[in-house]
Amino acid sequence: MGADPSPRWRRRKEARPHEITAAALELFAERGFAVARLEDVAARAGISKGTLYLYFPNKEELFKAVVRDAVVATIDEAERLAGSFTGSSFALLETVVRRLAARIVGTRAGVIPKLIVAEAGNFPELARFYHDEVARRGFATVAAVLRRGMERGEFRPVDARAMVPVIIGPLLLAALWKSTFEPVAAEPLDIAALLDTHLDHLRRSLSAATPEGGGP
């Protein structure tokens, strides 16, 4: 008798949802959420439409799974890091910002903010889901880092809630630029230089040692 094929089958079955979400992300990026069809996602993933329905009952649930696979794991990681980090608060902030940038800007997941903006009017439930699972949690994590820095005397007093969009904004701009303008031959952003410049500005503006009224 041959070897039991079930272990390989289990590996394939466990991997299949991630193969489907990867195919879906490619198609959503190419065609937009509204236009992309489940049968096309299934074809891209190399499965039947019936098999796709075994994992995802509709396109909305598939999109949520795409977001979970592509982005939410990074938010989970940032939350854990913020709760366990032992270094300086700016080192923590830099680590969180760079990891968010690597996911939001440095991978195909960078198209997701554009999809949310484009489809929010017709699919408000998806926008609400993205807000709750990604934006709200990401903002809360960065705000917690800012409060940590102020409590430890490392950051000057700031309105953490108002400061968070200032920190996240350039990352979203970079993602939108990369997914919207670079495909039509716009000059690519130098993401590394943007991040270095942004973090240098944050270091100067948040430092508790910065003289009131600014400094060099």
Side-chain angles (χ1 to χ4, degrees):
M1 293 179 63
D4 181 357
S6 59
R8 186 171 71 174
W9 166 249
R10 283 197 297 270
R11 288 196 299 272
R12 172 66 179 168
K13 188 175 181 180
E14 291 165 0
R16 189 168 286 143
H18 300 292
E19 295 171 357
I20 295 171
T21 56
L25 179 57
E26 289 181 1
L27 278 169
F28 292 156
E30 293 169 9
R31 304 179 188 179
F33 176 78
V35 175
R37 303 182 305 168
L38 288 179
E39 51 262 46
D40 296 330
V41 173
R44 180 72 62 94
I47 59 173
S48 70
K49 187 177 178 182
T51 299
L52 186 150
Y53 277 118
L54 293 176
Y55 297 95
F56 306 106
N58 53 54
K59 192 163 62 170
E60 288 77 9
E61 290 304 312
L62 174 57
F63 183 85
K64 292 177 182 180
V66 167
V67 172
R68 291 189 184 103
D69 274 3
V71 183
V72 171
T74 301
I75 301 298
D76 292 340
E77 179 185 345
E79 289 175 340
R80 289 192 297 270
L81 182 66
S84 62
F85 196 79
T86 58
S88 74
S89 295
F90 191 82
L92 171 58
L93 180 64
E94 179 173 8
T95 301
V96 168
V97 168
R98 288 191 182 278
R99 290 187 184 183
L100 290 175
R103 174 56 56 179
I104 295 172
V105 185
T107 71
R108 196 61 178 271
V111 77
I112 293 176
K114 176 183 175 181
L115 289 170
I116 293 295
V117 170
E119 307 287 7
N122 293 323
F123 302 96
E125 175 58 30
L126 296 184
R128 188 176 303 111
F129 168 81
Y130 188 84
H131 169 266
D132 292 345
E133 294 293 325
V134 178
R136 179 183 59 79
R137 291 174 59 195
F139 275 40
T141 300
V142 175
V145 176
L146 293 173
R147 288 192 294 271
R148 177 189 192 268
M150 289 185 281
E151 290 166 1
R152 291 162 58 117
E154 297 169 316
F155 294 164
R156 68 181 179 84
V158 297
D159 182 337
R161 187 172 181 180
M163 189 68 178
V164 170
V166 175
I167 295 172
I168 300 297
L171 309 187
L172 294 177
L173 170 64
L176 291 171
W177 185 279
K178 192 174 184 66
S179 62
T180 302
F181 299 118
E182 288 186 17
V184 294
E187 182 179 355
L189 286 178
D190 185 336
I191 302 301
L194 183 152
L195 270 179
D196 288 345
T197 301
H198 182 42
L199 287 163
D200 181 58
H201 284 174
L202 289 175
R203 182 182 295 106
R204 292 167 181 267
S205 67
L206 289 171
S207 173
T210 300
E212 190 170 334

